[in-house]
Amino acid sequence: MMNKYEMTNETRETATGQTLYRIRALRNIYGNSKMVQKGELGGFVSHHDNLSQIGTCWVADEAFVADDARIENDALIHESAKIEGKSRITDNVIIGGDAMVFESTVGGLTKITDKARLGNSTVNGDVNLEGRVYIMYSRIHGKVQVTDRVKLVETAIYGNNILLLGEANIKTTVIGSVTKETKQVVISDKVTIVNSGIYGEGIVINGDAQLISGVRIDGNLVQISDFSTLEGMIEIGSKVNMKEFARVKNMSNTIFTIDNETLSGDVSIER
């Protein structure tokens, strides 16, 4: 089969001085949410290895693919998106807006748009990354939506119907696993979660709640809201509701368990 595109003489440079070349379709391409006509100009690449000649993958508009990044299968990179480093974009992925992806592997039905930033990460499944999200050194798999100004660093997410929004700040945390089904999780507002684990179903964490240093949610129907704080080796079971200024701190080396309980007001538990 003949090549599907060629590199033209129209060029632009990246911020690092790398020369990119606009592409032009050599035949009709019927692909991922876009039909490209023979002769139509596309986006920019630095060399032929950036965009596979096989499949219906395409780089459109003012988007570019630089360095050793590669686009394959039915993936579409369009609008002003930027793919850099050794990123690999496959399957039916669509990346647009002013999104930037570097040193990452993205597959499945993932959509990345707006001003999302994804670096040194792996994303696969039915995943939506939008708004001004910042995701570094993380792994996301399943049906997951991350939006607004959420920050994820060194975090792994495995689950279905996981929604992260607002200005949530999550670091060195695991949400779900390949062996324990986790679903219907909503983390929003200005929540801070550091070095913790979240597993189960029907979990809502919002407000200015904080989970820090060893907290593990392993149950169903859990809500942690308002200015609630959990710190230390604490395990949350099912049907736990923390709200207002509830605070639990465990500085011992023994796990403190909370199950089927409501904590509210100014209640404070320390061990």
Side-chain angles (χ1 to χ4, degrees):
M1 182 180 293
M2 66 178 291
N3 286 345
K4 67 183 179 186
Y5 74 92
E6 64 181 356
M7 295 165 60
T8 70
N9 292 326
E10 182 181 348
T11 63
R12 63 175 287 186
E13 287 192 357
T14 66
T16 58
Q18 184 177 178
T19 301
L20 305 176
Y21 302 86
R22 191 180 288 278
I23 61 174
R24 177 167 48 226
L26 297 175
R27 55 181 171 85
N28 293 341
I29 304 169
Y30 303 94
N32 189 1
S33 303
K34 183 176 180 63
M35 182 177 72
V36 180
Q37 300 289 340
K38 178 180 178 180
E40 182 177 338
L41 293 175
F44 294 82
V45 300
S46 60
H47 49 77
H48 280 289
D49 285 338
N50 287 142
L51 177 64
S52 175
Q53 295 282 2
I54 301 172
T56 61
C57 52
W58 188 247
V59 180
D61 308 318
E62 298 304 308
F64 73 66
V65 184
D67 304 320
D68 294 319
R70 183 166 175 81
I71 315 302
E72 299 177 335
N73 304 131
D74 299 318
L76 172 63
I77 314 300
H78 68 143
E79 298 174 340
S80 297
K82 303 172 181 63
I83 314 298
E84 299 177 308
K86 295 183 179 181
S87 295
R88 186 181 179 205
I89 315 299
T90 65
D91 301 328
N92 293 287
V93 171
I94 299 176
I95 303 177
D98 192 32
M100 179 181 293
V101 176
F102 52 96
E103 304 293 354
S104 296
T105 300
V106 185
L109 299 172
T110 299
K111 293 180 176 62
I112 305 176
T113 188
D114 300 328
K115 293 184 178 293
R117 298 291 182 263
L118 178 71
N120 301 94
S121 298
T122 300
V123 178
N124 204 320
D126 187 1
V127 179
N128 286 326
L129 308 179
E130 56 191 25
R132 292 178 175 269
V133 300
Y134 176 85
I135 302 171
M136 289 288 294
Y137 299 103
S138 295
R139 181 182 296 271
I140 303 174
H141 183 86
K143 186 175 179 60
V144 180
Q145 182 176 0
V146 187
T147 186
D148 298 332
R149 293 179 177 269
V150 171
K151 290 185 178 180
L152 297 177
V153 179
E154 296 179 335
T155 290
I157 301 175
Y158 302 86
N160 290 307
N161 296 318
I162 311 294
L163 174 59
L164 311 180
L165 68 159
E167 298 181 27
N169 189 354
I170 304 172
K171 183 177 181 180
T172 55
T173 288
V174 177
I175 301 174
S177 72
V178 294
T179 58
K180 187 174 181 61
E181 184 177 28
T182 296
K183 59 184 179 180
Q184 307 294 341
V185 175
V186 179
I187 300 173
S188 62
D189 301 327
K190 295 185 177 182
V191 166
T192 297
I193 303 175
V194 180
N195 193 27
S196 296
I198 298 171
Y199 311 89
E201 179 179 351
I203 298 168
V204 177
I205 308 172
N206 57 24
D208 287 80
Q210 296 187 43
L211 282 66
I212 303 170
S213 301
V215 178
R216 178 185 174 95
I217 297 176
D218 195 349
N220 302 328
L221 303 178
V222 174
Q223 181 162 355
I224 301 172
S225 58
D226 301 328
F227 293 90
S228 298
T229 301
L230 291 161
E231 182 177 357
M233 296 178 62
I234 301 166
E235 182 160 322
I236 304 295
S238 295
K239 297 182 179 179
V240 172
N241 185 0
M242 289 185 63
K243 56 187 177 180
E244 297 171 350
F245 292 89
R247 180 173 180 267
V248 180
K249 184 176 182 180
N250 180 20
M251 301 308 293
S252 74
N253 293 323
T254 303
I255 295 174
F256 179 62
T257 301
I258 303 173
D259 191 51
N260 195 22
E261 190 169 352
T262 296
L263 301 175
S264 63
D266 292 327
V267 64
S268 180
I269 301 173
E270 293 195 29
R271 295 188 69 213

